[in-house]
Amino acid sequence: MFRETILENWGNPHVAGLEEHRPVRIADVHFASEQFEQGGKAESLDAQQGRMINTITMTVTLQDSEGLAEETHDISMILCFACFDTLDLNSSMQQHRRRLPSLSTLSDENVQLMKRWIQECQTNHRACYTLPDSWIPTRLLDVGSDDESGSEMPRLIETANTLMDSRKFIALSHMWGDMTVSPPLRSIRSNYETMKDGVTPSSLPRNFADAVSVCRCLGVRYIWIDSLCIIQDSLEDWAHEAELMHKVYRNAVVTIVATSATSSHDGFLQRHIANIPAVRISYSLGNSGCQSLIICPNEYAQGQMGPNPELEDGINRSRWNTRGWTMQERILSTRLIHFCKNLICFECRTCMVTEENVSMASERDAIVKFELWPRSDHIFREPKTAGPNNLAQEMEALYKKWMATLEEYSFRQLTKQSDKLPAIQSIAAEMSLVVDDTYIPFAGMWRGNLKRELLWQSLPPLPIQRPESYGAPSWSWVSAGSDVRWLRKKLDNDIEMPTIQYPFDVLDYGNQHPKCKAYNYLEVQGFTKSISRIVPTDSSSSGSSSWRSIEYYFPFSLQVVDANGAHLKFGSARFDLKDYVPRKGAQLLYLHITEHYPSGLLLERSDTTEQIWFRIGIASIFTVAAGKEIVEILFTCGSYQKIIII
């Protein structure tokens, strides 16, 4: 088994072309175990109670063709094997009992396990709690009652006009796939009435058919599937239903996720466990007697370290998790069941666990790039948040979480780039339930947090031009196209901050300015400084090329003309677009926002008669090393004025 696993998983390009077999050396063998806690204290680490052996990892190093001791250390790989100990398989304690994966995804054991996961979360997980809500989606797919054994055709229902035996429903999260090759079944105006009469099983894509099977096994009669429950060729219906998506995932009993599928036609219930090789070996430790281990290759973990590769590779690195729409579906769901390759995983705000009964909660914070959105029912309605200071801290935490979510979201892919803002609006809708602030829908930003959200920056490689199809203003992170970040920090804490702080105020925003031809505008008031020219910074001469240097983040020098007519460095800047060159003779302006790093925006005047500007970059008037302004008097001959940015 080791030999075949090495041959199948060796991915080093230097080795792939070898014609002859080579001896290998196996070293650094580790048996990874999980330690359990009970009553807040770790249990004793004896073989019977305290730990569960999950995996075996080892390093395989290629030796030369003669099998000599000298090894080629740069040609090596890490192998990971799933491990099932008979002590764990036969444990009398359910929470410690390891399970072999089922040959069938919807085996009786797995169905009962999924029901237990859901029930446990609904009953005992305070962090997952949602207030009772009678809300139900406009449309659902009725899959039939439990006792019909799948004999009745699913049909689309309008919930307001249907006598329902239950208001419980499940939601499906899935990838649609290539719409130009084979789009999923969709509700459109021409087939809508037919869908209400019934959907023939043969017309259901495999993902939908599999989702129907899961619903019937779990005893939930209704399911929400986006392409069926929204009339796709009706702009009015689509806009209305898109605003309610956060309620769909919040109120669903569970979101079933076709994590392993890359299109609607793949399906997610098929398994090939019978084809995975496995070996049983015996061992003994001290006086514990003879036990055995079942060992098989872990298909999620080759070349990776860590105790829970299923989470990192099976879920986080799945293609499903790279899509823009699926992000809000994941983080807004109250609970999810992931159908990965040969494995199901449960995820909620309290735990992550696989059908093999391997808990991933302890690694979750370190591995998952984002956490599920906090349930406002729990966080903002408990006694600990009653005071204004505590409430302010919770609001601050949500703003930071929003920005971190946007960073993750900016890397994701969308088939229609015009969906950039719609695919994030459900998270904003969920946040608006508890934040006393106004969301700016055409910019994807919060008015009360603009002082920070305006200071986004594009990550390299920088875009060549702004994506016009987004329709977003230059001051919005959406206009960057992708890959944005906020530094979200002051200068180093041990550095003395400037004593003078300059006010910055948001005055107004809107789709069209009432007094001039400014669209999707932002009107602000703050200190500004006219920039005479922008020149590249010579970081080599200053010796400041490290990541802590200002030149690393801001490779251009902003210069102003002093009283003697000489050019003086005023600040440092970074353009939003690659190889951007301001128009010849264009007016350039620095707008100061905050005493943070970065500190303001670089603007270019629009080619109009009005005083209208658009963003071309981000800037800082501070040096990192000294923690002071680049020039001591920041705004000599500057002005405190109102400006309009588009």
Side-chain angles (χ1 to χ4, degrees), residues 104-243:
S104 169
T105 302
L106 296 182
S107 65
D108 291 342
E109 295 83 2
N110 274 1
V111 171
Q112 293 305 313
L113 178 64
M114 288 188 286
K115 290 181 177 179
R116 189 167 70 244
W117 282 339
I118 295 170
Q119 180 64 31
E120 173 73 16
C121 182
Q122 290 175 326
T123 306
N124 298 323
H125 292 176
R126 295 180 64 216
C128 307
Y129 174 74
T130 58
L131 291 171
D133 193 343
S134 60
W135 182 90
I136 198 165
T138 306
R139 304 176 190 89
L140 289 168
L141 189 69
D142 183 350
V143 306
S145 58
D146 301 349
D147 56 2
E148 290 164 349
S149 303
S151 59
E152 184 180 350
M153 283 198 310
R155 63 188 181 94
L156 194 65
I157 65 168
E158 295 175 344
T159 57
N161 303 321
T162 305
L163 183 62
M164 303 171 64
D165 59 0
S166 170
R167 300 181 75 83
K168 294 193 303 182
F169 68 94
I170 283 173
L172 173 67
S173 177
H174 67 113
M175 285 181 60
W176 284 31
D178 191 339
M179 294 290 291
T180 62
V181 176
S182 184
L185 179 65
R186 293 169 292 168
S187 291
I188 54 178
R189 283 174 286 196
S190 61
N191 71 359
Y192 182 60
E193 294 301 323
T194 303
M195 300 278 283
K196 290 164 63 177
D197 293 334
V199 183
T200 58
S202 60
S203 67
L204 285 175
R206 288 186 66 184
N207 278 3
F208 297 2
D210 286 353
V212 167
S213 298
V214 174
C215 285
R216 287 171 172 163
C217 287
L218 294 179
V220 180
R221 181 164 182 166
Y222 307 103
I223 184 170
W224 188 88
I225 301 176
D226 51 5
S227 69
L228 302 184
C229 297
I230 301 175
I231 302 176
Q232 297 296 316
D233 60 349
S234 169
L235 293 177
E236 296 80 7
D237 190 71
W238 195 93
H240 176 265
E241 295 299 315
E243 291 182 358

Side-chain angles (χ1 to χ4, degrees), residues 222-417:
Y222 307 103
I223 184 170
W224 188 88
I225 301 176
D226 51 5
S227 69
L228 302 184
C229 297
I230 301 175
I231 302 176
Q232 297 296 316
D233 60 349
S234 169
L235 293 177
E236 296 80 7
D237 190 71
W238 195 93
H240 176 265
E241 295 299 315
E243 291 182 358
L244 301 174
M245 282 188 188
H246 70 110
K247 291 189 174 184
V248 171
Y249 298 106
R250 158 184 275 268
N251 290 287
V253 173
V254 68
T255 298
I256 56 178
V257 186
T259 316
S260 61
T262 58
S263 80
S264 294
H265 305 282
D266 287 353
F268 56 85
L269 293 182
Q270 63 273 21
R271 287 198 168 184
H272 309 286
I273 290 179
N275 299 326
I276 298 176
V279 174
R280 183 190 294 271
I281 63 172
S282 299
Y283 76 92
S284 62
L285 284 175
N287 299 323
S288 63
C290 185
Q291 304 294 335
S292 63
L293 295 173
I294 299 174
I295 303 172
C296 60
N298 189 326
E299 54 193 332
Y300 293 110
Q302 304 313 323
Q304 299 184 44
M305 294 295 287
N308 294 132
E310 298 86 356
L311 171 61
E312 181 63 23
D313 200 58
I315 299 178
N316 287 351
R317 293 185 181 177
S318 65
R319 285 189 60 191
W320 166 84
N321 203 46
T322 66
R323 306 302 300 174
W325 281 102
T326 62
M327 181 173 184
Q328 67 177 19
E329 294 166 11
R330 182 180 186 185
I331 71 175
L332 294 182
S333 292
T334 299
R335 58 193 67 88
L336 310 96
I337 297 178
H338 293 275
F339 289 82
C340 304
K341 183 180 178 182
N342 293 329
L343 193 71
I344 57 174
C345 302
F346 179 78
E347 178 178 24
C348 68
R349 284 155 187 76
T350 303
C351 70
M352 293 192 73
V353 63
T354 73
E355 70 178 87
E356 298 171 357
N357 200 22
V358 176
S359 172
M360 295 184 275
S362 59
E363 287 79 27
R364 180 172 177 171
D365 291 342
I367 296 176
V368 180
K369 295 180 181 178
F370 59 88
E371 298 176 358
L372 303 187
W373 198 261
R375 288 281 80 112
S376 56
D377 318 67
H378 167 68
I379 289 186
F380 297 100
R381 289 179 172 85
E382 291 211 342
K384 69 182 181 65
T385 60
N389 292 335
N390 287 332
L391 188 60
Q393 292 175 4
E394 300 289 2
M395 296 301 108
E396 175 71 10
L398 270 187
Y399 282 134
K400 289 182 178 179
K401 182 168 182 57
W402 166 260
M403 295 165 68
T405 300
L406 293 184
E407 289 183 350
E408 165 70 19
Y409 176 69
S410 71
F411 284 87
R412 293 187 170 231
Q413 302 167 2
L414 288 162
T415 301
K416 296 169 60 178
Q417 296 306 316

